[in-house]
Amino acid sequence: MSSTFPQDFSSVYGPVASWRYGRSLGIDPIGAVSTCSFDCVYCQLGEIEDKTRDRRIFVSTSRILRDLQAFAVDGVDVISLSGSGEPTLALNLGEIVAAIKADTGKPVVVLTNASLLGDAGVRQELALADCVAAKVDAVGDERLRRVDRPVDGIGFAEIRRGLLSFRREYRGRLAVQTMLLGRWPDREQADYIAFINELAPDEIQLCAPTRPRPLVHELAARGGRPGERPVYAVRHLKAVPPQVLHEFAARLQRETRVPVRGPRTWGSRGTAAECDDSSA
Ligand code: SF4
């Protein structure tokens, strides 16, 4: 059963200018209460209100299609599913992706934290998307717990297995999105590179947090336009020196065959649109 929503809630927002995918119209399959299997320290949604790994229908597919009617999709490059939490928690994920593709004819991108990819049903639904950006902020449990703060029962071994299975099955474009909060020790960088070489994604999206973290959940934090300043209370995260990102990117380029991309303003306080991957 889907939830009730505040009167002004729309499951569609934007479009936002994404450094990764161009002009992107956002779909929020989660709804007004932020819900995720992670509670990342840098999450643009603030502290996650409902921390869970249980899938359910949050926003009905018909409601999403109805909200979509108010938006012109001409001039939009992609439709992205992320919004107020982890989109693979939506039990109607596959139905939403298929319906949006049929309705708009636009490529669909899903931004996921990859924590549910151990579930074959989730992988099957996610595989309907044209592009998937999967979060890999850690290659071990210690950093995963410190940065992504998953709910109990989610560890890196499970995420790794799920991602490798998804890579074998998926015919679309798979990106790994990694948020750096500082320089990783050499050993961890080597472990990450080994995992990337095993996974063989189509690209790595390397980023550092530039969006301020809201103190409480605000629907307005789902998207953002260039130059737009938040109108809600926020906490700024410590900036990562651009050199840290450049050095890691250079090593990745030397030791993997995977292209590395990052926003224009690596490591500086850019606008929201320059680093749009806080959510999932
Ligand atoms: S950044 Fe994404 S994965 Fe992390 S808590 Fe926020 S919605 Fe969840």
Side-chain angles (χ1 to χ4, degrees):
M1 187 150 43
S2 52
S3 330
T4 50
F5 303 105
Q7 235 177 358
D8 59 349
F9 173 79
S10 172
S11 58
V12 183
Y13 59 95
V16 298
S18 157
W19 64 270
R20 301 183 287 180
Y21 297 110
R23 206 166 153 75
S24 162
L25 188 65
I27 302 286
D28 183 354
I30 298 300
V33 175
S34 62
T35 306
C36 193
S37 46
F38 285 1
D39 182 22
C40 301
V41 291
Y42 57 80
C43 183
Q44 71 191 51
L45 303 170
E47 179 162 351
I48 294 297
E49 294 162 305
D50 186 1
K51 297 165 195 144
T52 180
R53 61 181 305 175
D54 296 336
R55 302 186 75 205
R56 62 181 192 269
I57 293 182
F58 300 89
V59 187
S60 70
T61 311
S62 56
R63 167 71 194 254
I64 289 172
L65 290 178
R66 202 174 70 226
D67 289 345
L68 197 51
Q69 283 172 10
F71 289 80
V73 294
D74 298 344
V76 162
D77 298 309
V78 296
I79 314 257
S80 302
L81 268 74
S82 67
S84 296
E86 170 51 34
T88 62
L89 285 172
L91 205 48
N92 52 342
L93 171 73
E95 189 182 79
I96 295 169
V97 173
I100 291 171
K101 281 167 70 106
D103 193 62
T104 66
K106 295 286 178 184
V108 171
V109 177
V110 179
L111 311 183
T112 176
N113 66 19
S115 65
L116 302 189
L117 294 185
D119 179 332
V122 171
R123 294 199 302 273
Q124 217 173 355
E125 291 177 53
L126 193 59
L128 297 174
D130 300 278
C131 305
V132 169
K135 180 188 297 300
V136 179
D137 288 343
V139 285
D141 285 335
E142 195 275 324
R143 185 177 298 276
L144 184 74
R145 273 197 298 272
R146 196 155 37 86
V147 174
D148 293 343
R149 305 188 297 189
V151 296
D152 288 348
I154 294 177
F156 179 67
E158 182 188 357
I159 293 171
R160 180 179 178 282
R161 268 195 306 276
L163 266 167
L164 291 171
S165 300
F166 186 64
R167 173 73 289 188
R168 282 193 293 275
E169 297 158 8
Y170 184 48
R171 298 287 162 259
R173 189 170 174 81
L174 176 65
V176 160
Q177 50 163 338
T178 297
M179 189 73 89
L180 286 190
L181 302 189
R183 191 190 306 274
W184 286 9
D186 192 63
R187 181 69 252 165
E188 241 175 312
Q189 291 190 22
D191 289 347
Y192 179 88
I193 286 165
F195 178 56
I196 291 293
N197 281 328
E198 189 179 6
L199 184 66
D202 296 294
E203 69 176 42
I204 299 166
Q205 298 167 347
L206 198 58
C207 201
T210 55
R211 281 181 170 187
R213 181 176 158 89
L215 299 185
V216 293
H217 177 220
E218 293 285 347
L219 275 175
R222 295 181 303 187
R225 294 191 170 80
E228 207 172 62
R229 294 197 180 280
V231 290
Y232 39 82
V234 296
R235 181 166 66 85
H236 285 279
L237 298 163
K238 199 172 157 208
V240 177
Q243 193 192 353
V244 169
L245 288 141
H246 286 293
E247 279 173 9
F248 194 35
R251 182 168 180 192
L252 290 172
Q253 258 150 5
R254 274 195 316 273
E255 298 183 33
T256 76
R257 295 197 175 152
V258 181
V260 182
R261 294 175 62 211
R264 202 157 41 84
T265 52
W266 262 354
S268 69
R269 295 252 179 256
T271 64
E274 285 161 348
C275 186
D276 61 350
D277 53 353
S278 289
S279 180

